[in-house]
Amino acid sequence: MLPLSLLNAAVGFPILVELKNGETYNGHLEKCDNFMNISLREVIQTASDGDRFWRLPETYVLDKVKEDMLKNRNMGNRGGRGGRGRGGNVGGRGGGHTGGSQTGGGRGRGRGGNKPSLHKDKSSSTMANKKDFLDELRRQLKQRTQQQ
Amino acid sequence: MSQLQPYVDCKVSVVMNDGRLVVGILRGLDQTTNIIMQSCQERIFSEDEAVEVVDLGLYMIRGDNIAIIGLVDEVVDAALDLDSLRGEPLQP
């Protein structure tokens, strides 16, 4: 089975994403694309040393390390956690830290750049990712402004 | 990539770039060697304690982080006494 098809099949399920710098993101997979950029909701970010942050807005991730499909195992736990409630509290921090989804364009790019995960050997495919990622974000931003 | 086709549905041992060892059943792979593994177990070696096994479930590991994929001989693997194994962990 292809990894990308598994990823597409996992849309809507809770997953754990680990990045190259060791940070882990727990959240529901909202979207993914052929470059394996992913979009998560209700995300809990955990730094590599175990400190926790809450993040309510949508999170865009480029260049991941590995993903763990939590799926059925964690469905029940997630419901009970009430992460959403606490997410609201730290909205300020979340907003400052990551840059919300709404202004996804610049911030999203910034997130990608901040991470040391954009590896030393940046291949040409990563650049292609970024260009398409920007186009995609511009498109989404346009859609959202039109909706408003 | 097709060189790994015979490994599908077999138990494989994957060594990652950061030195981690993960064992599981290879379910799928693609052009960039991203792999899907089922029933993963991470084996953590140390010189003092017994091997630590962490059950991970279904994993998809991105190809850039994989160093080695090896086929596991199930007979030999079953015979391994993990409690008594000692070893120095791999470095990144």
Side-chain angles (χ1 to χ4, degrees), chain A residues 4-63:
Chain A
L4 277 175
S5 18
L6 180 64
L7 193 56
N8 279 296
V11 169
F13 284 95
I15 63 172
L16 182 152
V17 180
E18 183 176 342
L19 300 184
K20 287 178 175 172
N21 60 8
E23 287 179 7
T24 58
Y25 290 78
N26 280 276
H28 285 76
L29 179 61
E30 198 194 346
K31 263 185 291 200
C32 68
D33 63 11
N34 286 336
F35 296 106
M36 233 183 261
N37 299 325
I38 59 173
S39 175
L40 300 169
R41 282 214 187 270
E42 297 165 35
V43 179
I44 303 164
Q45 176 197 13
T46 305
S48 45
D49 50 7
D51 302 334
R52 295 193 144 217
F53 307 89
W54 294 90
R55 183 161 311 136
L56 188 58
E58 205 178 316
T59 301
Y60 232 119
V61 179
L62 303 168
D63 276 346

Side-chain angles (χ1 to χ4, degrees), chain A residues 70-95:
Chain A
L70 304 172
K71 280 193 178 179
N72 301 323
R73 240 197 303 151
N74 269 14
M75 281 296 217
N77 293 344
R78 301 263 159 208
R81 188 177 278 194
R84 259 170 272 180
R86 272 192 272 174
N89 257 348
V90 203
R93 184 200 264 179

Side-chain angles (χ1 to χ4, degrees), chain B residues 35-48:
Chain B
I35 62 173
I36 303 175
M37 291 229 289
Q38 194 170 21
S39 314
C40 283
Q41 291 180 328
E42 182 177 344
R43 292 190 184 162
I44 306 164
F45 296 92
S46 74
E47 289 185 348
D48 318 308

